[in-house]
Amino acid sequence: MEQYYSPWIECAGLDSLRAEQGKRLGDMVKRVYESVPFYRERLDGHGIDPESIKSVDDLSRLPFTYKKDLRDTYPYGMFAVPKERIRRIHATSGTTGKMTVVAYTRRDLDDWSEDTARALVAAGATKADYIHIAYGYGLFTGGLGMHYGAERLGAVAIPVSSGNTARQIDILRDFGSNILCCTPSYAMYIGEAMSEMGIGPDDISLRAGVFGAEAWSEEMRLEIQRMFGIKAYDIFGMAELIGPGVSFECSDQSGMHVNEDKYIPEVIDPKTGKPLPEGVQGELVFTCVRKEALPLIRYRTGDIATIWRENCACGRTLIKMSKLRGRTDDMLIIRGVNVFPSQVESVLLDLGLPPNYLLVVDRVGNMDTMEVQVEMTPEIFSGISTVGDLQSIQKKIEGALLSTLGVTTTVKLVEPKQIARSEGKAKRVQDNRKF
């Protein structure tokens, strides 16, 4: 029987949920108008009277918030409470521009712990479990987010953090870890290392994993489940909203339930900004209706997904969102064709290859080119005896990629362990084009 951490919310009726969302939305908009100069100016600029926001139906009237807005008000310009009420600060390093700085009050931290506790319970965790946390600790929200969720649940948190993979494996085996929390790419890395050490699923006590912080495919899920002999659950979040725990998978593994009492999701057309119907893929937008220190109005995440509401086998009534297909800002446009790294990953896994790859994009003259560097397994590498064998494998991968992507690629096979491994988010793209 499915268990719930907060059944009164997770299984709430739609009418009561919408009523609570509307009240929280109206209260939040009035509060940020009064306390955050940025929002006062933006709402005034759009002719929005905060008193007119009374229900979820008014959401589409509100302006968007962008990552650039947080960087332009760096570091504390978006905070909605005085310094005396802030209990913690996190930040994202990002790849361009300044860090995105986020803050939490005591209640925010309690809410966040509840979010991740809900996710852990949905993955089958109980008070009797040992939760092995291999997300990074520090300004990154992953480690501490799952840590406090484990403690909120009453389970034992093992704060291993990322790195030192041999020690990770020792702890998994010796400490009796039941739930593994890390990025899916690092889970694959740990699984590979275990296999090389002759350690199999029967040698550890894991029965589930909660993996997030990067987009990953269904094929990668199946591979992780095979490697560890576990059930692998997706979790979604981002620092700007709270951290991990904005949404989570249940035992049905048919989409991630959004914690709608705190985060109202929308999907929009990334080009026009217009809301899209449920079930239509687009850019995820979230409004934080409960957070005190950094409430955000219609924050454009850049993540590509769909949302829909259905009667879930687990009994939860919270709206669902799909696994992420990719991001608007890591989507590649190759000769007019949209390409997501996750599509390449799916092709490789379908062909029985590990998802260790690098996309190298360049421009020769006026033509975009894409090379896919694919790491061979030791078995494949040792079985290659002629140039013809090598070319045959390359052509097979190139054909599968063309069929899936709709664009011609060049495949370069590299020896085992030549693609750099990641203990955090995997780097999949090297774009050498000059725009």
Side-chain angles (χ1 to χ4, degrees), residues 46 60 119 130 169 173:
H46 282 76
S60 61
Y130 292 83
I169 295 170
R173 184 175 51 185

Side-chain angles (χ1 to χ4, degrees), residues 10 29 89 121 165 187 197 223 243 266 283 295-297 310 324-325 334 354 364 372 386 421:
E10 295 175 62
V29 172
I89 285 177
V121 170
T165 303
M197 295 168 65
E223 182 64 12
E266 302 172 84
E283 180 183 353
L296 296 176
I297 297 174
E310 66 178 5
L324 303 182
R325 184 185 175 194
I334 308 297
V364 178
V372 184
T386 67
R421 298 297 195 269

Side-chain angles (χ1 to χ4, degrees), residues 339-359:
V339 174
F340 289 95
S342 57
Q343 293 174 297
V344 175
E345 178 182 289
S346 294
V347 168
L348 296 180
L349 285 164
D350 280 344
L351 294 174
L353 294 162
N356 298 318
Y357 64 94
L358 180 67
L359 308 184

Side-chain angles (χ1 to χ4, degrees), residues 35 81 94 100 120 125 210 243 256 326 377 393 411 433:
S35 59
V81 297
T100 300
L120 287 167
V210 179
M256 289 177 279
T377 64
I393 297 172
V411 169
R433 293 175 295 180

Side-chain angles (χ1 to χ4, degrees), residues 16-60:
S16 62
L17 179 60
R18 282 294 174 85
E20 184 61 26
Q21 286 179 323
K23 181 181 182 302
R24 291 183 177 184
L25 175 63
D27 290 345
M28 183 272 285
V29 172
K30 284 183 278 189
R31 184 160 54 86
V32 298
Y33 184 83
E34 295 168 356
S35 59
V36 183
F38 166 85
Y39 274 128
R40 186 181 310 117
E41 181 179 341
R42 180 152 293 182
L43 290 170
D44 285 344
H46 282 76
I48 302 295
D49 177 4
E51 296 291 341
S52 70
I53 305 301
K54 300 183 181 299
S55 76
V56 178
D57 294 334
D58 296 318
L59 192 60
S60 61

